[in-house]
């Protein structure tokens, strides 16, 4: 909301695994995942993007010990995508 108040146009990409689409204006939300590189290519082709902010990382320490591969995929590989 702050970026929009500052005059920036925003796009939110969320797989809604822990998010709630009611918090995002529907015209700003793309439901998808950072692992979907074809979708990412389309988003970058269809929009003039100035910056990317990634707030989607997994942060549950207990789960990360049990599922390190998942956390590596979500927090490292998908960020690189």
């Amino acid at each position: 909301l702050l970026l929009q108040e500052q005059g920036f146009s925003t796009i939110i990409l969320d797989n809604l695994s822990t998010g709630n689409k009611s918090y995002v204006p529907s015209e700003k939300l793309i439901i998808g995942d950072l692992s979907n590189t074809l979708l990412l290519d389309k988003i970058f082709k269809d929009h003039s993007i100035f910056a990317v902010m990634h707030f989607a990382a997994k942060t549950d320490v207990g789960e990360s010990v049990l599922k390190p591969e998942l956390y590596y995929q979500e927090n490292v590989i998908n960020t690189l995508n």
Side-chain angles (χ1 to χ4, degrees):
L1 292 174
L2 179 61
L3 290 170
Q4 292 175 22
E5 289 169 6
Q6 297 291 321
F8 291 97
S9 175
T10 59
I11 301 167
I12 292 87
L13 172 66
D14 197 324
N15 66 14
L16 300 178
S17 63
T18 58
N20 188 323
K21 68 180 179 179
S22 68
Y23 294 129
V24 180
S26 60
E27 71 275 4
K28 304 285 184 184
L29 176 63
I30 298 171
I31 298 174
D33 196 272
L34 290 173
S35 63
N36 185 342
T37 55
L38 293 175
L39 175 60
L40 294 176
D41 287 343
K42 179 174 180 5
I43 292 169
F44 277 88
K45 180 181 176 192
D46 292 348
H47 303 277
S48 177
I49 296 179
F50 174 75
V52 173
M53 303 167 94
H54 180 205
F55 299 111
K58 291 194 167 291
T59 60
D60 185 318
V61 175
E63 183 183 51
S64 73
V65 173
L66 298 172
K67 301 176 182 178
E69 309 84 17
L70 172 64
Y71 277 66
Y72 184 78
Q73 177 68 42
E74 293 286 331
N75 295 348
V76 178
I77 301 300
N78 286 351
T79 298
L80 293 172
N81 287 344

